[in-house]
Amino acid sequence: QHFKLVDVFTAAENIVLGLHESIDRRKIAAKVREICDRYGFHIDPNEKVYNMSVSEKQTLEIIKVLYRGAEFLILDEPTAVLTPQETEKLFEVIRNMRADGKSVVIITHKLNEVMAVSDRVAVLRKGYYIGDVMTKDTTPQQLTEMMVGHALSLNIQRDDPQYSETQLIVEHLSVKNSEGVLALKDVSFTARGGEILGTAGISGSGQKELREAMAGLQRAEAGSSVIYRSPEGKQCQLIGMKPNDIQNLGVHMSFVPEDRLGMGLVGSMGMSDNMMLKSYRSGKGLFTERKRPRSLAESIRKELDVITPNLNTPVRKLSGGNVQKVLVGREIALAPNVLMMAYAVRGLDINTSYVIYNLLAEQKKKGVAVIYVGEDLDVLLELCDRILVLCGG
């Protein structure tokens, strides 16, 4: 699911890394070109990884195992960071591999991809094997019922937006990433209360820097402006402020990052203590107030069906989907004016994904400005009222 490549090496050097053979660059390049010609890949063996697009890195990972003579490939969420065009290109390659006699297992939560590329589908639910069916004999609805255990409507409820005042005015926002490269270049837009503003773009187009600069987690370049307008009409400039300063101003902003355990939650803490991360400053006296965080954790566990032995079990021991439920539940429970979410349903089953979509729709009805970063264009088109597109910053 995550690339294991050395950025400063060429494609050919990454392919032979770890193999006990002499490095004959011509021989390696010839074999790589033979694999590319056979399956329809397009890659330059001499190109450095840091110059490659996301889809080229994905291609390189597959060539790496084919070079070693693999007859059986397991692809874990291979399309998570690909555009629809790149996804179709990958599927064409997979069909070529199938025609060449390879066995391919694709792990994916996107039913349209299952229907498009597979011959047979095996369904797992809560760790149990439910059964397998021939793709030509099934439908997305039937697969959903096998996955969830009961009938489920695959429609996202989207009411017309009840626009309130503009909550955020972003002008000329430019941000450098951790390598000092300009990742966001002169971006301007508005976010209004009572709407869901989608953010589309392939991974690495500046989505991360955009969210973090607005939340006070990244320093913006000179000339950047992010103005928050409160429901009462007061305006304040958020650029240059830290998250705590923004909170002290009375700006109720919730933030769900893509890195669940690195940024969102503390893995060694249980649900209750992770709830308290947002409220410990409001305790009186020497001791933290634990009753309300525990009550909040219990209500999130029930509402989102979080599977955990108890509220004190370290969240790093939970599955990725359950960790995401804890994080999303906590941020929504804060009753924000602005809610920013990145890849909120990554790793969640279909049933819980639709619970999250409906929670976002409810926030919209309450007049919250929801900024939703997603990777699935079908969901963005169904869920969002407006869509902001980022391309290369």
Side-chain angles (χ1 to χ4, degrees):
Q1 192 169 10
H2 305 290
F3 303 139
K4 296 283 185 287
L5 299 168
V6 180
D7 274 0
V8 295
F9 284 6
T10 63
E13 287 166 343
N14 271 280
I15 287 166
V16 297
L17 194 63
L19 292 179
H20 297 287
E21 59 179 54
S22 60
I23 297 180
D24 183 335
R25 294 180 189 278
R26 265 189 216 165
K27 192 175 166 187
I28 295 164
K31 191 173 176 184
V32 168
R33 288 197 177 95
E34 182 194 328
I35 292 170
C36 290
D37 292 343
R38 186 189 302 176
Y39 298 113
F41 289 117
H42 300 283
I43 204 159
D44 177 2
N46 299 314
E47 187 177 2
K48 298 277 190 183
V49 169
Y50 59 72
N51 285 326
M52 292 182 176
S53 69
V54 173
S55 65
E56 286 174 325
K57 291 177 184 177
Q58 181 77 272
T59 299
L60 178 55
E61 288 283 26
I62 295 172
I63 293 174
K64 232 164 74 172
V65 292
L66 291 174
Y67 186 92
R68 287 158 167 75
E71 294 294 326
F72 185 86
L73 289 92
I74 303 173
L75 307 178
D76 186 6
E77 299 279 3
T79 63
V81 292
L82 302 185
T83 63
Q85 297 93 323
E86 291 167 338
T87 297
E88 187 46 50
K89 204 183 293 180
L90 174 66
F91 286 175
E92 197 53 48
V93 168
I94 289 171
R95 293 183 189 110
N96 291 340
M97 288 194 283
R98 175 184 62 188
D100 197 42
K102 307 286 186 191
S103 297
V104 184
V105 174
I106 294 186
I107 300 163
T108 180
H109 64 279
K110 299 178 183 178
L111 285 181
N112 60 324
E113 294 179 359
V114 170
M115 300 303 292
V117 78
S118 69
D119 300 297
R120 201 156 52 94
V121 190
V123 178
L124 299 175
R125 183 169 75 236
K126 294 186 177 178
Y128 290 96
Y129 170 74
I130 304 302
D132 65 75
V133 291
M134 298 303 291
T135 309
K136 63 182 174 61
D137 298 329
T138 191
T139 65
Q141 190 67 46
Q142 289 171 343
L143 288 176
T144 301
E145 289 177 20
M146 288 176 73
M147 290 163 70
V148 177
H150 57 80
L152 178 72
S153 168
L154 292 178
N155 291 315
I156 297 173
Q157 183 67 38
R158 185 180 80 194
D159 297 326
D160 290 336
Q162 302 296 317
Y163 292 122
S164 60
E165 291 296 315
T166 298
Q167 301 255 21
L168 283 174
I169 304 166
V170 177
E171 292 180 329
H172 309 297
L173 183 59
S174 297
V175 183
K176 287 182 178 175
N177 62 19
S178 54
E179 282 83 41
V181 177
L182 207 59
L184 207 63
K185 305 160 190 172
D186 197 29
V187 170
S188 300
F189 66 93
T190 59
R192 292 175 282 193
E195 74 164 352
I196 299 177
L197 175 65
T199 307
I202 59 173
S203 183
S205 291
Q207 299 96 317
K208 180 175 183 288
E209 289 77 13
L210 175 68
R211 296 188 315 274
E212 292 185 4
M214 289 164 64
L217 296 166
Q218 277 223 43
R219 191 173 71 83
E221 296 300 294
S224 300
S225 170
V226 177
I227 293 173
Y228 169 76
R229 184 183 287 163
S230 73
E232 297 78 37
K234 291 181 181 175
Q235 293 192 172
C236 52
Q237 175 64 254
L238 303 186
I239 293 294
M241 288 194 173
K242 294 178 180 175
N244 208 30
D245 299 330
I246 293 173
Q247 192 177 1
N248 291 337
L249 269 178
V251 179
H252 299 290
M253 188 182 288
S254 284
F255 181 67
V256 178
E258 55 194 310
D259 185 359
R260 300 162 187 165
L261 289 175
M263 277 186 75
L265 302 168
V266 177
S268 57
M269 289 181 177
M271 278 185 70
S272 293
D273 285 349
N274 271 292
M275 298 301 128
M276 200 167 66
L277 287 175
K278 290 282 186 172
S279 63
Y280 70 91
R281 289 188 184 91
S282 60
K284 293 177 182 176
L286 294 173
F287 301 100
T288 51
E289 202 273 303
R290 307 187 75 90
K291 192 174 178 184
R292 272 182 298 175
R294 187 170 185 82
S295 172
L296 176 59
E298 189 57 59
S299 67
I300 288 171
R301 178 164 77 163
K302 286 178 183 171
E303 189 177 342
L304 296 182
D305 191 26
V306 178
I307 297 167
T308 177
N310 60 64
L311 297 180
N312 296 319
T313 300
V315 292
R316 64 180 159 75
K317 293 188 176 180
L318 309 186
S319 70
N322 283 300
V323 171
Q324 187 74 325
K325 290 179 193 178
V326 174
L327 179 54
V328 170
R330 184 190 71 189
E331 295 302 310
I332 286 178
L334 293 170
N337 299 126
V338 178
L339 173 61
M340 289 191 283
M341 304 188 90
Y343 313 110
V345 298
R346 190 180 275 175
L348 300 188
D349 62 84
I350 285 185
N351 192 35
T352 310
S353 296
Y354 279 81
V355 170
I356 300 294
Y357 298 146
N358 290 329
L359 284 173
L360 293 179
E362 284 174 23
Q363 294 298 302
K364 179 176 93 171
K365 285 181 188 172
K366 292 176 182 176
V368 176
V370 181
I371 299 172
Y372 178 81
V373 179
E375 61 201 8
D376 192 328
L377 281 181
D378 293 336
V379 170
L380 283 169
L381 289 166
E382 273 197 70
L383 178 69
C384 304
D385 303 299
R386 285 191 300 145
I387 298 177
L388 161 78
V389 181
L390 289 174
C391 176

